[in-house]
Amino acid sequence: MSAPLPERGTGRAIVGQAIARHAVSALAITAALAGSAEVLIARIGAPLVGFWAPAGVPGPGILEAAGSGATAATALLVVVAAAGLPVSRGPWTLAATALPLAAVVLTVAATIDPSPGLLTASHLVVAAAAVGLARGAAVSLPAGRTVGTLAALGVAAGQLAFVATGDAATGLHRVAEAAIIALPIAAAWRLRAEIGHLGRVAAFIAATGVSAALVVRHGELAMLATWTFGATLTVPPLALIAAAAGWVLLAIGALRRPGVRLVAAGVTLPWIAGIQPAAIHHNLTGLLGVMLLTGLTAGHRVVEQGARP
């Protein structure tokens, strides 16, 4: 005997939530692309051109303006996507809805009025939301529970490092750095079946290039890592080489397989945010990555609830 169909109103609600989830997921992927442009233009291109360009050349000013535009676009997309994902999910829960929405409200408030109290509250709630999302993640997610846990650990430790002092802050920063660097490695390994032979060859070339750069230009790489995502490169070089290979595998997988794109965006967003975000809105950028990797876009629970008699 077949299961009874959901009522018409319930079916419309499910379809509406599915459309909303897809729309917000597209915004999250766009935010990852805008954030990547922000990193390349505002954090790498503008400083390097400003250092190398002769006086009077308009290049640095143009890049700074473009970087500011990319930063503003990233901020807007991140706030909308981070607020929209919990709302579009359906059932109201503390970890998947209340804490992320509270993080959005507090972070926006701290952006408008960066008082110590609001900043501290924003850091604590973002950390709590990341941990709550990781605890509620499903094992059957495309990226797996381990990847979501790594993202949550990196984001939470980076946020708590703002609040801690002394050795505790240093330790939290190192934990965040290790987790964020391990993120593309774990995600690429999890999705290795989705990536073809070309991706593996490209990953090998990338790993070889980073190995050579670490030997020849370690100082410059450390400087670029600090500019881009606040890393100190205290992790073993082998981890950095594996991370470079993982990034290439994820990028090629995202181009070939639509199902990999959300995972790639989820891995990208914590790197854009940085170990300890320099801009307040990037507290939400890292959290949005955790949302994507812990399955906040998945609709199977909503469908199951709607199909019950």
Side-chain angles (χ1 to χ4, degrees):
M1 187 173 181
S2 60
L5 295 174
E7 296 179 2
R8 181 176 299 178
T10 304
R12 288 176 179 173
I14 294 171
V15 171
Q17 289 168 3
I19 293 173
R21 276 193 301 275
H22 286 299
V24 179
S25 298
L27 285 174
I29 292 174
T30 307
L33 294 174
S36 299
E38 174 190 339
V39 170
L40 292 173
I41 299 172
R43 302 185 202 173
I44 298 177
L48 285 179
V49 172
F51 179 74
W52 285 330
V57 174
I62 295 173
L63 284 177
E64 287 177 4
S68 298
T71 301
T74 304
L76 178 61
L77 290 165
V78 162
V79 170
V80 174
L85 270 181
V87 172
S88 65
R89 185 175 185 270
W92 183 278
T93 63
L94 179 65
T97 308
L99 284 174
L101 287 178
V104 172
V105 172
L106 286 170
T107 302
V108 171
T111 303
I112 297 170
D113 177 23
S115 62
L118 279 175
L119 287 171
T120 299
S122 172
H123 297 319
L124 291 175
V125 174
V126 168
V131 173
L133 287 166
R135 286 178 59 87
V139 179
S140 60
L141 294 172
R145 183 187 287 272
T146 300
V147 177
T149 301
L150 278 173
L153 178 62
V155 170
Q159 293 294 309
L160 293 176
F162 281 110
V163 181
T165 57
D167 292 340
T170 302
L172 286 167
H173 188 280
R174 289 178 178 172
V175 168
E177 182 176 3
I180 295 300
I181 289 175
L183 196 52
I185 304 172
W189 176 258
R190 172 77 181 187
L191 299 174
R192 62 192 182 279
E194 303 291 330
I195 300 162
H197 180 69
L198 177 62
R200 296 185 180 91
V201 172
F204 176 78
I205 294 172
T208 304
V210 170
S211 301
L214 285 171
V215 173
V216 179
R217 288 287 187 266
H218 186 276
E220 288 86 344
L221 281 182
M223 179 181 68
L224 287 175
T226 303
W227 289 356
T228 52
F229 67 109
T232 57
L233 297 192
T234 56
V235 299
L238 185 60
L240 301 174
I241 296 168
W247 272 119
V248 172
L249 288 171
L250 283 177
I252 292 177
L255 290 173
R256 296 180 69 245
R257 306 280 187 178
V260 180
R261 289 171 192 166
L262 270 180
V263 176
V267 174
T268 301
L269 288 165
W271 279 64
I272 293 169
I275 307 301
Q276 286 183 279
I280 298 173
H281 72 269
H282 279 316
N283 293 344
L284 290 181
T285 304
L287 182 61
L288 179 59
V290 178
M291 291 180 188
L292 297 181
L293 294 174
T294 53
L296 204 57
T297 57
H300 63 278
R301 291 192 185 93
V302 177
V303 173
E304 287 170 0
Q305 288 175 359
R308 288 175 185 169

